[in-house]
Amino acid sequence: MKHIKWMFFLWIVVIITGCNYQNLEQQPSNYGTYSNDRTILHNQQDAIKAENEVLKFDEVTNVVAVNTEDKILLGFKVKQFEKFRLEKVEKKVKDKLKETFPNHEITAESDLKVFIETERMKNKLTDESYKKDKLEKDMDKIIKLSREQT
């Protein structure tokens, strides 16, 4: 009777583990890109390119970026263990972006508040009432916030 209980328990564990493994494989692997069903009203090609460049780093798990004509604001998240080397990762990301976009002022931060605010701003880009001057004003506010925290 004990063996039957253990076999039943083992089968339950195998089934649960198998179901969880399938769910992990179905998660999207390319974070931070714009979905095709939304119309972006402001030219965000540089932001998309910056997101894709930063996603190539193994240390980075999630990226969000917004750009104006001369500025790029990028927030990113790093893997849990990489938080011990956060300064090196930030420097690596900033150097790569400065190399890729020499004519832009780059602000790239791993701070969660900057990430969240940048994501909110990115979501507003589909709204027709969100004007270009409002975008620049919001971007300057977040850049100022990131410099205060440093």
Side-chain angles (χ1 to χ4, degrees):
M1 190 68 172
K2 270 186 168 179
H3 296 306
I4 293 174
K5 287 181 183 178
W6 278 106
M7 290 295 286
F8 179 74
F9 177 74
L10 183 62
W11 276 105
I12 296 294
V13 170
V14 168
I15 290 171
I16 291 173
T17 306
C19 292
N20 284 338
Y21 184 73
Q22 279 183 329
N23 289 339
L24 289 175
E25 288 180 350
Q26 293 174 357
Q27 291 178 350
S29 61
N30 193 9
Y31 292 106
T33 58
Y34 293 100
S35 64
N36 293 332
D37 60 338
R38 297 190 316 174
T39 304
I40 305 300
L41 301 176
H42 305 286
N43 183 8
Q44 295 296 305
Q45 294 302 318
D46 291 338
I48 294 169
K49 186 176 178 182
E51 287 177 352
N52 290 331
E53 286 294 319
V54 174
L55 279 173
K56 291 177 183 175
F57 294 120
D58 292 333
E59 302 92 349
V60 177
T61 60
N62 203 345
V63 180
V64 62
V66 176
N67 74 282
T68 60
E69 291 178 16
D70 60 342
K71 296 178 187 175
I72 295 177
L73 174 63
L74 184 129
F76 63 96
K77 293 181 182 179
V78 295
K79 292 179 182 175
Q80 190 68 28
F81 184 70
E82 297 299 330
K83 291 184 180 182
F84 296 113
R85 301 179 335 117
L86 198 55
E87 289 179 17
K88 289 181 181 179
V89 174
E90 281 185 351
K91 182 176 179 356
K92 185 176 170 182
V93 167
K94 288 177 185 178
D95 290 345
K96 179 63 176 174
L97 290 176
K98 286 179 183 177
E99 176 186 315
T100 308
F101 302 100
N103 298 330
H104 286 76
E105 177 186 330
I106 305 293
T107 304
E109 298 290 332
S110 63
D111 183 52
L112 185 60
K113 182 68 174 173
V114 172
F115 181 87
I116 291 170
E117 291 299 323
T118 306
E119 192 171 41
R120 283 184 188 156
M121 188 183 343
K122 180 178 172 179
N123 289 333
K124 290 179 186 177
L125 291 175
T126 58
D127 188 8
E128 290 181 18
S129 64
Y130 196 65
K131 304 292 182 200
K132 193 173 188 176
D133 58 336
K134 178 70 173 150
L135 170 69
E136 291 180 12
K137 183 179 174 184
D138 288 349
M139 187 179 248
D140 289 338
K141 183 176 129 184
I142 295 172
I143 291 171
K144 183 180 177 186
L145 172 74
S146 72
R147 289 184 181 147
E148 286 177 1
Q149 292 177 353
T150 308

